[in-house]
């Protein structure tokens, strides 16, 4: 019944709103429609659309000689999170050499960065891989997720030392209450506990032991709304206690998570005019101020619908996202999805950066491709032997 209500509410909204290689070697000739070999997909089923190919081609071109990808064109800005997501896309497409180039960059920095000082890989750096700033738990967890996917799909053990070192650092962030600190600022001070980073680390650290058990207990006691059956973000700030990604990621990460979490995400639905295309776009905002369509987050919701076997709902969302495609200014036969449909605020009241709606963004493109290609980055890690009494989200949440 709740799944039916979820579908009805989503479409009602839409109806009301709408009455190790060189990147150059993988470029695709302009206007040529190709069939790509997608890893794990039978040859007769692996035809993908031209728009998907153009987005894949943009990511391929964005990889620099040092293995890293800038988050957007000509930005001199590199994100650990974005590069982890790009590695996952390359893995999903069988382009293991391109993923390895990203992993190699970080593999050479285990001693000087990951295990140095307060530890962890820097969240941001410039395109040369220098001038890193603060460490962030969620971004490091995503690198671990990418490495586990590579290890399980290829069987290659080359990065096992990196996997162990990353896991140990993530475990070291656990507080006595079971929660995880968000990493460290540049001055060495601890970052407060970030819900999104906590649940991402839960899935990234393989298996299930006391680390996971205590983490779940913290979420139950500190970040769970038992009435609405949703994980919350910021209890200290009621205006921003709810965040879209905790609905989509929570549903994808935790087995048997209540499907009502997806229908409850309707509170973020909004309609905005895309800055570049000028089209009206339906999707989800970061939070309940509903001043932008967050395109990365909207693709995350499409992935959650895929996980719920609600492909029609996922496809409708992706069709909305495709209204925002922006052609590359640098590369032929390449396009991508911007971070947001229009300029506005990010989670909370802070403004987005000035080109968030004007250029393709790695994070939005990768989540769009996950949903279009049907690649689930959590699948290799989702099997955990969680005790029934530890699954706080299943209490009185049966459909």
């Amino acid at each position: 019944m709740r799944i039916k209500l979820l579908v009805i509410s989503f479409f009602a909204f839409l109806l009301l709103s709408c009455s190790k290689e060189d990147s150059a070697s993988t470029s695709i000739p302009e206007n040529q429609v190709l069939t790509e070999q997608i890893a794990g997909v039978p040859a007769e089923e692996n035809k993908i659309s031209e728009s998907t190919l153009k987005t894949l081609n943009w990511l391929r071109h964005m990889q620099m000689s040092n293995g890293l990808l800038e988050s957007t064109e000509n930005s001199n800005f590199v994100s650990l999170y974005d590069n982890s997501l790009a590695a996952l896309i390359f893995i999903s497409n069988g382009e293991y050499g391109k993923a390895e180039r990203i992993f190699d960059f970080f593999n050479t920095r285990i001693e000087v960065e990951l295990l140095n000082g307060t530890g962890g890989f820097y969240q941001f750096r410039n395109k040369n891989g220098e001038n890193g700033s603060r460490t962030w738990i969620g971004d490091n967890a995503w690198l671990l997720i990418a490495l586990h996917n590579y290890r399980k799909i290829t069987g290659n053990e080359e990065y096992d030392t990196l996997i162990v070192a990353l896991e140990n650092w993530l475990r070291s962030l656990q507080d006595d209450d079971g929660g995880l600190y968000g990493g460290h600022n540049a001055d060495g001070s601890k970052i407060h506990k970030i819900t999104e980073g906590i649940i991402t680390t839960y899935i990234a650290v393989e298996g299930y032991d006391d680390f996971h058990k205590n983490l779940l207990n913290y979420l139950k006691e500190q970040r769970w709304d038992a009435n609405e059956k949703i994980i919350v973000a910021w209890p200290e700030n009621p205006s921003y206690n709810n965040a879209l990604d905790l609905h989509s990621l929570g549903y994808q990460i935790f087995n048997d998570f209540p499907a009502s979490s997806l229908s409850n995400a309707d509170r973020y639905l909004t309609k905005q005019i895309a800055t570049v295309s000028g089209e009206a776009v339906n999707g989800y905002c970061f939070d309940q101020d509903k001043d932008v369509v967050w395109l990365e987050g909207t693709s995350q919701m499409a992935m959650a619908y895929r996980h719920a076997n609600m492909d029609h709902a996922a496809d409708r969302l992706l069709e909305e996202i495709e209204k925002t495609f922006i052609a590359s200014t640098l590369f032929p036969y390449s396009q991508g999805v911007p971070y947001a449909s229009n300029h506005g605020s990010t989670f909370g009241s802070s403004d987005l950066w000035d080109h968030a709606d004007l250029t393709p963004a790695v994070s939005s493109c990768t989540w769009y491709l996950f949903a279009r290609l049907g690649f689930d980055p959590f699948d290799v890690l989702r099997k955990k032997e969680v005790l029934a009494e530890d699954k706080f989200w299943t209490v009185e949440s049966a459909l």
Side-chain angles (χ1 to χ4, degrees):
M1 177 61 71
R2 291 186 184 179
I3 290 179
K4 290 181 181 178
L5 289 174
L6 189 157
V7 176
I8 291 168
S9 63
F10 174 73
F11 286 114
F13 172 81
L14 285 182
L15 289 171
L16 288 171
S17 300
C18 298
S19 350
K20 289 173 182 161
E21 67 268 72
D22 291 329
S23 60
S25 67
T26 58
S27 62
I28 301 171
E30 189 171 4
N31 298 324
Q32 182 178 355
V33 181
L34 302 177
T35 298
E36 284 288 303
Q37 178 62 48
I38 305 301
V41 179
E44 64 272 15
E45 298 178 11
N46 66 24
K47 291 183 179 180
I48 59 178
S49 69
E50 185 173 9
S51 62
T52 303
L53 286 172
K54 286 182 176 181
T55 308
L56 276 169
N57 203 44
W58 183 76
L59 282 175
R60 292 164 173 156
H61 277 303
M62 286 296 290
Q63 189 167 41
M64 299 178 290
S65 60
N66 61 4
L68 300 175
L69 289 77
E70 289 181 279
S71 293
T72 59
E73 294 178 6
N74 299 315
S75 63
N76 194 27
F77 182 87
V78 169
S79 157
L80 172 58
Y81 170 67
D82 289 354
N83 276 266
S84 302
L85 294 179
L88 283 161
I89 287 297
F90 295 143
I91 292 165
S92 76
N93 202 35
E95 297 179 279
Y96 304 125
K98 296 184 77 63
E100 289 163 2
R101 291 172 60 193
I102 294 172
F103 297 149
D104 287 344
F105 177 89
F106 294 101
N107 204 36
T108 61
R109 286 163 173 75
I110 294 175
E111 295 295 332
V112 299
E113 193 170 328
L114 176 58
L115 301 180
N116 188 37
T118 55
F121 287 117
Y122 294 123
Q123 183 180 19
F124 305 126
R125 64 190 77 225
N126 64 24
K127 67 180 182 181
N128 297 320
E130 301 167 345
N131 298 330
S133 61
R134 78 172 183 177
T135 58
W136 192 259
I137 185 176
D139 296 39
N140 281 269
W142 272 104
L143 180 58
L144 184 57
I145 290 169
L147 288 162
H148 276 305
N149 272 268
Y150 175 84
R151 176 72 166 81
K152 292 181 183 295
I153 292 171
T154 69
N156 190 330
E157 302 175 1
E158 180 178 356
Y159 303 106
D160 282 8
T161 298
L162 177 55
I163 288 173
V164 171
L166 263 173
E167 179 178 313
N168 287 341
W169 181 74
L170 291 169
R171 286 177 176 271
S172 75
L173 296 174
Q174 191 160 49
D175 193 9
D176 291 341
D177 63 4
L180 308 179
Y181 288 106
H184 292 88
N185 294 304
D187 63 3
S189 61
K190 291 178 179 177
I191 297 172
H192 64 280
K193 295 163 186 171
I194 309 293
T195 309
E196 176 270 330
I198 291 172
I199 68 173
T200 306
T201 302
Y202 168 85
I203 192 75
V205 175
E206 195 171 24
Y208 188 79
D209 54 31
D210 285 346
F211 171 80
H212 302 84
K213 180 182 179 71
N214 293 333
L215 185 157
L216 291 183
N217 186 64
Y218 173 81
L219 291 174
K220 176 185 177 182
E221 298 297 329
Q222 303 291 333
R223 303 295 168 94
W224 178 243
D225 185 327
N227 292 322
E228 294 201 67
K229 298 290 190 286
I230 57 174
I231 299 172
V232 298
W234 201 352
E236 298 82 7
N237 189 345
S239 297
Y240 295 103
N241 197 31
N242 298 312
L244 173 67
D245 56 357
L246 299 181
H247 294 253
S248 57
L249 295 178
Y251 186 78
Q252 293 176 75
I253 286 171
F254 297 110
N255 289 321
D256 307 316
F257 205 73
S260 59
S261 177
L262 300 185
S263 57
N264 281 336
D266 286 357
R267 70 190 70 196
Y268 313 101
L269 283 168
T270 185
K271 179 179 179 180
Q272 301 291 333
I273 302 300
T275 302
V276 174
S277 71
E279 293 207 51
V281 180
N282 299 287
Y284 297 85
C285 190
F286 302 90
D287 48 34
Q288 290 174 253
D289 62 21
K290 299 196 285 191
D291 60 344
V292 302
V293 174
W294 177 30
L295 296 164
E296 175 197 2
T298 300
S299 287
Q300 289 175 354
M301 283 297 297
M303 277 297 296
Y305 282 120
R306 287 265 189 262
H307 188 54
N309 295 316
M310 299 172 65
D311 289 334
H312 189 51
D315 290 340
R316 287 293 297 271
L317 273 181
L318 294 175
E319 289 167 6
E320 293 294 313
I321 293 167
E322 287 164 356
K323 296 177 181 179
T324 70
F325 275 133
I326 298 175
S328 171
T329 61
L330 299 177
F331 313 121
Y333 198 78
S334 300
Q335 67 181 15
V337 181
Y339 190 70
S341 59
N342 55 287
H343 192 73
S345 63
T346 182
F347 180 73
S349 58
S350 299
D351 280 350
L352 289 163
W353 57 95
D354 59 8
H355 60 281
D357 55 333
L358 300 176
T359 182
V362 168
S363 59
S364 298
C365 289
T366 50
W367 276 101
Y368 166 79
L369 289 170
F370 288 156
R372 267 292 175 228
L373 301 177
F375 179 76
D376 183 346
F378 301 124
D379 190 53
V380 301
L381 290 159
R382 196 175 279 118
K383 185 178 180 181
K384 295 181 184 291
E385 296 181 4
V386 186
L387 299 175
E389 57 265 30
D390 294 342
K391 289 185 176 182
F392 60 85
W393 57 90
T394 64
V395 179
E396 298 179 357
S397 64
L399 296 177

